[in-house]
Amino acid sequence: MSKGVDVVSDQVGHRAPYARIAAHYEELITSGQLQPGELLPSIKTLSQEWNVSTATAEKALRKLRTDGLVRGIHGIGTEVIDRPAPMSSGAQRQDRGRRSGSSWGAGERSDSHEAAVVPAPTGVAQVLDIAPGADVIRRRRVYRDRHGIVAHSTSWIPVQYGKLVPQLAESERLSGGTSLQLIAQATGLPITRRIDTASARLLTPADAELLELDPANPPAEPVVVMTAKFVDSGDHVVEYGVDLGGPGRTWLTESELAQ
């Protein structure tokens, strides 16, 4: 049966055609309607069913591969897989939130949203250029998929922004945009720079607690730690994000290269 673009337009809005196709199959995979080992339609079939070019169909399959939902098998096709998807950096989540309004990756949901005004740890204070122990907003949430925890994410935000955007200090999912979008709207200063880091380390007892693991029996493999510092047009650091990947998670990024 044809899965024409119009069939899913109400569900996925005004996304690019390749993104609509990818979103359709992401939903089938994450809901269990397509099981590991099953094959997706070929590029030619997708092109015909969705009335798009073969280049668009191929781009949709490439996005599903990048999101860790499928793999290409030479001479056979594109197979649904069952393995932990790569984690996203804070910067990637902000990009996703700006494009779609949600920071979730493929098949993800977030929970355990917690916010509080706390004393700034020394390392965080250095990044935010505030005194150690000064008040800072700490926002935490856990991203999960069908395999478990993808990442534990913490955002550190200078406390003055909580006066402009009170919901930043409330233990609920933000409404009306991402934290950066809400801050930029309140201050009138767009976010113009971000500085990203990525590293790996052995799991600490504190890490194990955040990832809901037994500190007495931590996994042997290292975990990925990613940070992102966001700076506005007035050269103010408005947020510092730290993402701790779940055991076995990797990080993947993809860029389009000019021809």
Side-chain angles (χ1 to χ4, degrees):
M1 181 179 69
S2 173
K3 306 294 190 304
V5 173
D6 290 343
V7 173
V8 295
S9 59
D10 289 341
Q11 299 175 352
V12 297
H14 300 290
R15 299 179 187 175
Y18 85 90
R20 292 200 291 270
I21 299 171
H24 173 75
Y25 283 98
E26 175 192 329
E27 174 61 26
L28 293 180
I29 293 169
T30 58
S31 68
Q33 296 178 66
L34 279 175
Q35 293 290 313
E38 292 191 60
L39 296 178
L40 268 60
S42 67
I43 290 175
K44 181 179 179 180
T45 299
L46 284 176
S47 174
Q48 294 172 342
E49 290 187 346
W50 289 79
N51 192 28
V52 296
S53 68
T54 55
T56 295
E58 197 281 330
K59 190 172 183 180
L61 294 181
R62 186 166 68 245
K63 184 180 188 307
L64 293 170
R65 291 196 300 271
T66 298
D67 288 341
L69 296 173
V70 302
R71 65 173 178 174
I73 304 177
H74 182 69
I76 297 178
T78 301
E79 179 188 53
V80 177
I81 59 176
D82 187 30
R83 68 184 183 196
M87 65 178 287
S88 299
S89 67
Q92 287 171 316
R93 292 192 183 281
Q94 289 291 345
D95 287 343
R96 191 181 295 132
R98 187 173 63 250
R99 293 193 304 266
S100 67
S102 172
S103 62
W104 295 337
E108 286 184 353
R109 291 294 182 268
S110 61
D111 59 30
S112 305
H113 290 258
E114 175 265 329
V117 176
V118 300
T122 300
V124 171
Q126 290 174 345
V127 174
L128 297 180
D129 195 24
I130 60 177
D135 284 348
V136 65
I137 297 172
R138 183 187 66 195
R139 294 189 57 81
R140 287 176 166 174
R141 58 271 188 204
V142 176
Y143 292 94
R144 306 176 193 269
D145 64 10
R146 66 187 186 280
H147 293 279
I149 291 182
V150 178
H152 184 284
S153 182
T154 304
S155 296
W156 301 92
I157 302 170
V159 73
Q160 64 265 26
Y161 296 117
K163 299 175 183 177
L164 298 174
V165 187
Q167 66 169 311
L168 291 174
E170 298 172 359
S171 296
E172 301 288 343
R173 283 193 65 207
L174 295 176
S175 60
T178 65
S179 54
L180 291 179
Q181 289 171 329
L182 294 172
I183 292 171
Q185 290 168 7
T187 63
L189 299 174
I191 309 303
T192 56
R193 284 192 297 136
R194 72 185 185 209
I195 300 94
D196 302 325
T197 73
S199 60
R201 71 181 182 216
L202 293 177
L203 198 74
T204 67
D207 294 338
E209 182 178 356
L210 293 177
L211 295 174
E212 302 173 9
L213 300 170
D214 181 1
N217 296 287
E221 67 265 30
V223 291
V224 176
V225 182
M226 312 195 73
T227 73
K229 180 170 70 171
F230 297 90
V231 184
D232 69 15
S233 60
D235 207 31
H236 308 112
V237 179
V238 299
E239 184 171 326
Y240 176 54
V242 181
D243 287 275
L244 177 67
R249 300 285 175 168
T250 58
W251 173 58
L252 183 148
T253 184
E254 179 177 345
S255 301
E256 297 288 341
L257 300 179
Q259 299 296 316

